Amino acid sequence: GDSVTQTEGQVALSEEDFLTIHCNYSASGYPALFWYVQYPGEGPQFLFRASRDKEKGSSRGFEATYDKGTTSFHLRKASVQESDSAVYYCALGNMGYKLTFGTGTSLLVDP
Amino acid sequence: AQTIHQWPVAEIKAVGSPLSLGCTIKGKSSPNLYWYWQATGGTLQQLFYSITVGQVESVVQLNLSASRPKDDQFILSTEKLLLSHSGFYLCAWSLAGSNQDTQYFGPGTRLLVL
Protein backbone atom coordinates (compact mmCIF):
# COMPACT_ATOMS: atom_id res chain seq x y z
CA GLY A 1 0.00 0.00 0.00
CA ASP A 2 0.90 3.68 -0.11
CA SER A 3 3.24 5.06 2.53
CA VAL A 4 5.02 8.27 3.48
CA THR A 5 8.28 8.39 5.42
CA GLN A 6 9.49 11.42 7.34
CA THR A 7 12.89 10.62 8.78
CA GLU A 8 13.17 13.51 11.24
CA GLY A 9 10.93 13.23 14.25
CA GLN A 10 12.16 16.48 15.72
CA VAL A 11 14.19 19.37 14.37
CA ALA A 12 15.64 22.15 16.52
CA LEU A 13 16.93 25.31 14.84
CA SER A 14 17.72 28.92 15.59
CA GLU A 15 16.02 31.84 13.85
CA GLU A 16 17.35 32.49 10.32
CA ASP A 17 18.63 28.91 9.99
CA PHE A 18 17.94 26.89 6.84
CA LEU A 19 15.32 24.18 7.19
CA THR A 20 15.07 20.83 5.45
CA ILE A 21 12.51 18.19 6.40
CA HIS A 22 12.80 15.01 4.39
CA CYS A 23 9.79 13.24 2.90
CA ASN A 24 9.93 10.09 0.82
CA TYR A 25 6.95 8.19 -0.50
CA SER A 26 6.01 4.81 -1.88
CA ALA A 27 2.96 4.57 -4.11
CA SER A 28 1.73 3.13 -7.36
CA GLY A 29 0.76 5.42 -10.16
CA TYR A 30 1.11 9.18 -9.93
CA PRO A 31 0.09 10.44 -6.50
CA ALA A 32 -0.43 14.03 -5.46
CA LEU A 33 1.89 15.19 -2.67
CA PHE A 34 1.06 17.67 0.08
CA TRP A 35 2.58 19.50 3.02
CA TYR A 36 0.45 20.44 6.03
CA VAL A 37 1.36 22.35 9.18
CA GLN A 38 -0.30 21.81 12.55
CA TYR A 39 -0.10 24.16 15.52
CA PRO A 40 -0.88 22.92 19.04
CA GLY A 41 -4.58 22.30 19.61
CA GLU A 42 -5.55 23.08 16.01
CA GLY A 43 -6.41 21.16 12.87
CA PRO A 44 -3.75 20.82 10.17
CA GLN A 45 -3.44 23.71 7.72
CA PHE A 46 -2.74 23.08 4.07
CA LEU A 47 0.58 24.58 3.00
CA PHE A 48 0.90 23.56 -0.65
CA ARG A 49 0.82 20.62 -3.05
CA ALA A 50 2.38 19.27 -6.24
CA SER A 51 0.88 16.83 -8.70
CA ARG A 52 3.53 16.05 -11.32
CA ASP A 53 7.21 15.37 -11.62
CA LYS A 54 9.47 18.45 -11.15
CA GLU A 55 6.54 20.62 -10.07
CA LYS A 56 7.41 22.98 -7.23
CA GLY A 57 4.91 23.92 -4.58
CA SER A 58 5.42 26.87 -2.26
CA SER A 59 3.74 28.97 0.39
CA ARG A 60 4.80 31.29 3.24
CA GLY A 61 8.47 30.92 2.26
CA PHE A 62 8.34 27.10 2.33
CA GLU A 63 8.87 25.09 -0.82
CA ALA A 64 9.21 21.54 -2.06
CA THR A 65 9.76 19.93 -5.46
CA TYR A 66 8.08 16.71 -6.59
CA ASP A 67 10.83 14.27 -7.59
CA LYS A 68 9.50 11.05 -9.05
CA GLY A 69 13.01 9.68 -9.62
CA THR A 70 13.93 9.77 -5.93
CA THR A 71 10.27 9.53 -4.75
CA SER A 72 10.78 12.59 -2.59
CA PHE A 73 9.07 15.85 -1.68
CA HIS A 74 11.44 17.51 0.82
CA LEU A 75 10.29 20.66 2.60
CA ARG A 76 12.73 23.59 2.65
CA LYS A 77 12.80 27.12 3.97
CA ALA A 78 15.75 29.47 3.67
CA SER A 79 15.30 31.33 6.95
CA VAL A 80 13.03 30.05 9.72
CA GLN A 81 11.31 32.21 12.33
CA GLU A 82 10.14 31.38 15.82
CA SER A 83 6.54 31.48 14.52
CA ASP A 84 7.34 28.51 12.25
CA SER A 85 7.50 26.24 15.29
CA ALA A 86 4.86 23.56 14.65
CA VAL A 87 4.45 19.98 13.44
CA TYR A 88 4.83 19.46 9.70
CA TYR A 89 3.19 16.57 7.87
CA CYS A 90 3.92 15.27 4.42
CA ALA A 91 0.94 13.52 2.84
CA LEU A 92 0.12 11.54 -0.28
CA GLY A 93 -3.15 11.41 -2.16
CA ASN A 94 -3.74 8.53 -4.50
CA MET A 95 -6.73 6.53 -5.66
CA GLY A 96 -9.83 6.16 -3.52
CA TYR A 97 -10.08 9.53 -1.74
CA LYS A 98 -7.54 8.47 0.86
CA LEU A 99 -4.88 10.84 2.19
CA THR A 100 -1.90 9.04 3.72
CA PHE A 101 0.11 11.08 6.21
CA GLY A 102 3.67 10.72 7.36
CA THR A 103 4.51 10.54 11.05
CA GLY A 104 5.15 14.26 11.27
CA THR A 105 8.19 16.37 12.12
CA SER A 106 8.14 18.67 15.12
CA LEU A 107 10.02 21.89 14.39
CA LEU A 108 11.22 24.04 17.28
CA VAL A 109 12.83 27.36 16.45
CA ASP A 110 14.73 29.24 19.15
CA PRO A 111 14.57 33.04 18.98
CA ALA B 1 -15.92 31.75 1.90
CA GLN B 2 -16.27 28.23 3.18
CA THR B 3 -16.32 27.54 6.90
CA ILE B 4 -16.06 24.25 8.75
CA HIS B 5 -17.45 23.87 12.23
CA GLN B 6 -17.00 20.92 14.57
CA TRP B 7 -18.91 20.21 17.75
CA PRO B 8 -18.35 19.79 20.57
CA VAL B 9 -14.96 21.40 21.04
CA ALA B 10 -14.04 18.86 23.69
CA GLU B 11 -15.63 15.94 25.51
CA ILE B 12 -14.85 13.83 28.55
CA LYS B 13 -16.77 10.55 28.44
CA ALA B 14 -16.89 7.30 30.36
CA VAL B 15 -15.90 3.95 28.88
CA GLY B 16 -18.99 2.23 27.51
CA SER B 17 -20.96 5.43 26.98
CA PRO B 18 -22.23 6.57 23.56
CA LEU B 19 -20.66 9.31 21.48
CA SER B 20 -21.76 11.64 18.72
CA LEU B 21 -19.46 14.18 17.07
CA GLY B 22 -20.60 16.57 14.40
CA CYS B 23 -19.17 18.54 11.50
CA THR B 24 -20.84 21.17 9.29
CA ILE B 25 -19.47 22.75 6.13
CA LYS B 26 -20.84 26.04 4.89
CA GLY B 27 -20.08 27.73 1.61
CA LYS B 28 -19.41 24.66 -0.52
CA SER B 29 -21.95 22.66 -2.47
CA SER B 30 -21.77 18.86 -2.23
CA PRO B 31 -18.22 18.62 -0.86
CA ASN B 32 -16.41 15.37 -0.20
CA LEU B 33 -16.26 14.92 3.58
CA TYR B 34 -13.78 13.02 5.76
CA TRP B 35 -13.23 11.97 9.36
CA TYR B 36 -9.73 11.57 10.80
CA TRP B 37 -8.42 10.47 14.19
CA GLN B 38 -5.16 11.60 15.74
CA ALA B 39 -3.70 10.08 18.89
CA THR B 40 -1.88 12.51 21.15
CA GLY B 41 1.50 13.14 19.55
CA GLY B 42 0.60 10.89 16.64
CA THR B 43 -0.14 11.13 12.96
CA LEU B 44 -3.52 11.46 11.24
CA GLN B 45 -5.48 8.34 10.37
CA GLN B 46 -8.35 8.62 7.93
CA LEU B 47 -11.47 6.86 9.27
CA PHE B 48 -14.30 7.54 6.81
CA TYR B 49 -15.10 9.48 3.70
CA SER B 50 -18.31 10.48 1.96
CA ILE B 51 -18.79 11.83 -1.55
CA THR B 52 -22.57 12.19 -1.39
CA VAL B 53 -25.48 12.34 1.05
CA GLY B 54 -26.34 8.99 2.56
CA GLN B 55 -23.16 7.26 1.39
CA VAL B 56 -20.20 6.68 3.69
CA GLU B 57 -17.12 4.53 3.08
CA SER B 58 -15.07 3.10 5.92
CA VAL B 59 -11.29 3.27 5.62
CA VAL B 60 -10.32 1.67 8.93
CA GLN B 61 -12.32 -0.14 11.58
CA LEU B 62 -12.15 1.42 15.03
CA ASN B 63 -15.60 0.46 16.36
CA LEU B 64 -16.93 3.77 15.07
CA SER B 65 -19.56 4.61 12.49
CA ALA B 66 -20.28 7.67 10.39
CA SER B 67 -23.30 9.09 8.63
CA ARG B 68 -24.03 11.95 6.26
CA PRO B 69 -27.63 12.98 6.85
CA LYS B 70 -27.37 16.25 4.92
CA ASP B 71 -25.16 17.60 2.15
CA ASP B 72 -23.28 19.82 4.59
CA GLN B 73 -23.23 17.58 7.66
CA PHE B 74 -21.08 14.62 8.73
CA ILE B 75 -21.60 12.71 11.98
CA LEU B 76 -19.22 10.34 13.78
CA SER B 77 -20.65 8.07 16.44
CA THR B 78 -20.40 4.94 18.51
CA GLU B 79 -22.71 3.24 20.98
CA LYS B 80 -19.90 2.13 23.27
CA LEU B 81 -16.70 4.08 23.83
CA LEU B 82 -13.37 2.38 24.46
CA LEU B 83 -10.32 3.86 26.17
CA SER B 84 -8.56 3.65 22.81
CA HIS B 85 -11.04 6.14 21.31
CA SER B 86 -9.36 9.00 23.15
CA GLY B 87 -7.68 11.50 20.86
CA PHE B 88 -8.32 14.36 18.46
CA TYR B 89 -11.06 13.95 15.85
CA LEU B 90 -10.82 16.03 12.72
CA CYS B 91 -13.34 16.63 9.98
CA ALA B 92 -12.11 17.67 6.54
CA TRP B 93 -13.60 18.59 3.18
CA SER B 94 -12.49 18.69 -0.44
CA LEU B 95 -14.08 19.75 -3.67
CA ALA B 96 -16.42 17.29 -5.28
CA GLY B 97 -15.29 15.37 -8.32
CA SER B 98 -11.64 14.64 -7.60
CA ASN B 99 -10.05 12.01 -5.43
CA GLN B 100 -6.69 13.79 -5.31
CA ASP B 101 -7.99 17.20 -4.39
CA THR B 102 -6.69 19.13 -1.42
CA GLN B 103 -8.38 18.37 1.90
CA TYR B 104 -9.05 21.22 4.32
CA PHE B 105 -9.39 20.48 8.00
CA GLY B 106 -11.67 21.78 10.71
CA PRO B 107 -10.62 22.84 14.22
CA GLY B 108 -11.14 19.37 15.69
CA THR B 109 -12.82 17.83 18.73
CA ARG B 110 -10.69 16.58 21.60
CA LEU B 111 -12.04 13.44 23.25
CA LEU B 112 -10.91 11.93 26.52
CA VAL B 113 -12.35 8.57 27.50
CA LEU B 114 -11.97 7.59 31.16
Side-chain angles (χ1 to χ4, degrees), chain A residues 13-97:
Chain A
L13 297 172
S14 299
E15 278 196 330
E16 300 184 12
D17 280 352
F18 189 92
L19 168 72
T20 300
I21 296 177
H22 294 94
C23 172
N24 288 90
Y25 70 91
S26 173
S28 59
Y30 228 118
L33 300 173
F34 304 82
W35 276 103
Y36 285 83
V37 57
Q38 186 175 29
Y39 298 96
E42 299 182 8
Q45 296 177 20
F46 168 69
L47 263 181
F48 56 83
R49 63 175 285 161
S51 303
R52 59 184 183 277
D53 194 22
K54 302 296 184 277
E55 180 181 357
K56 183 164 87 172
S58 64
S59 175
R60 311 185 205 174
F62 293 92
E63 63 179 40
T65 300
Y66 193 132
D67 191 329
K68 191 166 170 62
T70 59
T71 60
S72 66
F73 194 51
H74 305 318
L75 181 69
R76 295 186 167 93
K77 188 175 185 183
S79 176
V80 294
Q81 302 300 311
E82 187 181 6
S83 58
D84 293 328
S85 297
V87 179
Y88 292 81
Y89 289 96
C90 183
L92 177 159
N94 211 343
M95 306 302 292
Y97 301 92

Side-chain angles (χ1 to χ4, degrees), chain B residues 45-98:
Chain B
Q45 170 72 64
Q46 192 179 82
L47 302 176
F48 300 94
Y49 69 88
S50 170
I51 60 173
T52 191
V53 174
Q55 287 189 10
V56 176
E57 300 296 329
S58 174
V59 177
V60 64
Q61 287 295 327
L62 281 182
N63 292 305
L64 295 166
S65 60
S67 64
R68 187 169 178 179
K70 301 179 190 177
D71 187 53
D72 63 353
Q73 196 174 78
F74 208 17
I75 306 296
L76 184 70
S77 60
T78 183
E79 293 185 0
K80 221 176 217 189
L81 278 166
L82 307 173
L83 285 174
S84 58
H85 285 137
S86 291
F88 198 35
Y89 288 85
L90 293 145
C91 181
W93 69 271
S94 68
L95 291 173
S98 170

